[in-house]
Structure formats: C-alpha cells, structure tokens
C-alpha cells in the first residue's frame, strides 16, 4: 500500500480547515498558501471532499470551504478511502478484485487479510482531531 499525493494532501487540507474552523469559510487560496500546495491541484481534492459531504463550500465574497462535522468525527480511513483506489496490501484484497483461483490453497492469504485488517483498524482509529493534536499549526508536518 502506497498512499498517493492526493491522499496525503487531502489529509493536510482537512487538518488545515480543522485548525482554522473558527474563521468560518476558508478560501482555497489561503489553504493552498499555508500548505504550499498548488491551488489548481487542491481544487480537484476539494471537489472530492465536498461531493462526499466532508466539506461544504460557499461561493462569492466571504466564501470558501469548511468542515461539515467536528474534526473528531472524521477518520483518516474515511478520507483515504475517498482518495485512494485501494488501501489493501495486495491486489486480491482490493475493492472489486476478481476472485483468486488459488485462494483456497494460498498459504499467505491469511497473512494479507490480517495485515489488511490492521491497516483498516488503525486508519479508522485516527481522527483529524488526533492529527491536529500531534503537532503545531501550520505546514510544518509531513504525512
């Protein structure tokens, strides 16, 4: 499993908006500047987060984006499942994977299933609020 730039940036956006949620709607430009991420690239990520209901947007003067829920209600797993094709450690466990012809005799399948469960459980146990608490505000962290 390798988390893409899209997934890492989505987490950074969510933490940034959570850290600045008292300011109301935050312009995309402000997030892009604070996080040192291309505004154009962030537009695609934000669109995905809005479509999934994680963020709400407001157009016009005073507009921008904000969280729709408390930061503690967003898990890292929920965010990464939106941005990644799969979080599975091997292709045969990925969403929509074709049944493996060797599954019945595969000596490593239970290993990969166990690892997949550990990954899912861990990512679902960490929230945006946890990420906020793990470091200072700003763009001085790496995910």
């Amino acid at each position: 499993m390798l988390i893409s730039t899209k997934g890492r940036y989505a987490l950074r956006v969510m933490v940034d908006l959570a850290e600045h949620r008292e300011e109301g709607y935050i312009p995309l430009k402000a997030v892009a500047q604070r996080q040192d991420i291309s505004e154009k690239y962030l537009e695609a990520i934000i669109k995905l987060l809005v479509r999934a209901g994680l963020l709400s947007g407001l157009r016009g003067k005073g507009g921008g984006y904000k969280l729709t829920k408390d930061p503690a209600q967003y898990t890292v797993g929920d965010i990464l499942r939106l941005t990644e094709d799969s979080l599975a450690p091997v292709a045969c466990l990925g969403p929509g994977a074709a049944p493996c012809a060797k599954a019945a005799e595969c000596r490593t399948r239970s290993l990969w299933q166990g690892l997949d469960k550990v990954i899912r459980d861990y990512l679902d146990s960490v929230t945006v609020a946890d990420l906020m608490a793990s470091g200072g505000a700003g763009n001085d962290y790496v995910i």
Side-chain angles (χ1 to χ4, degrees), residues 4 6-8 10 45 48-49 79-85:
S4 70
K6 187 191 302 183
R8 295 190 319 268
I45 295 169
L48 195 63
L49 297 171
I79 296 164
L80 292 179
R81 277 187 284 277
L82 284 173
T83 60
E84 305 303 313
D85 290 333

Side-chain angles (χ1 to χ4, degrees), residues 13 28 34 51 59 62 64 75-76 83 91 111 115 119 124 133 141:
V13 166
L28 184 62
R34 281 193 297 264
R51 195 175 320 129
R59 293 178 183 239
T75 70
V76 169
T83 60
L111 168 80
L115 179 58
I119 290 169
D124 288 339
Y141 53 88

Side-chain angles (χ1 to χ4, degrees), residues 35-111:
Q35 296 301 317
D36 194 25
I37 300 172
S38 157
E39 193 173 343
K40 186 86 170 154
Y41 190 56
L42 277 187
E43 287 175 3
I45 295 169
I46 291 281
K47 189 181 295 185
L48 195 63
L49 297 171
V50 168
R51 195 175 320 129
L54 278 65
L55 302 178
S56 64
L58 181 66
R59 293 178 183 239
K61 186 173 174 142
Y65 299 92
K66 70 177 185 175
L67 303 180
T68 57
K69 302 183 278 189
D70 185 87
Q73 294 181 290
Y74 298 99
T75 70
V76 169
D78 290 338
I79 296 164
L80 292 179
R81 277 187 284 277
L82 284 173
T83 60
E84 305 303 313
D85 290 333
S86 173
L87 297 176
V90 291
C92 64
L93 297 177
C100 178
K102 300 212 180 252
E105 63 215 39
C106 182
R107 293 183 179 248
T108 60
R109 185 167 173 84
S110 64
L111 168 80

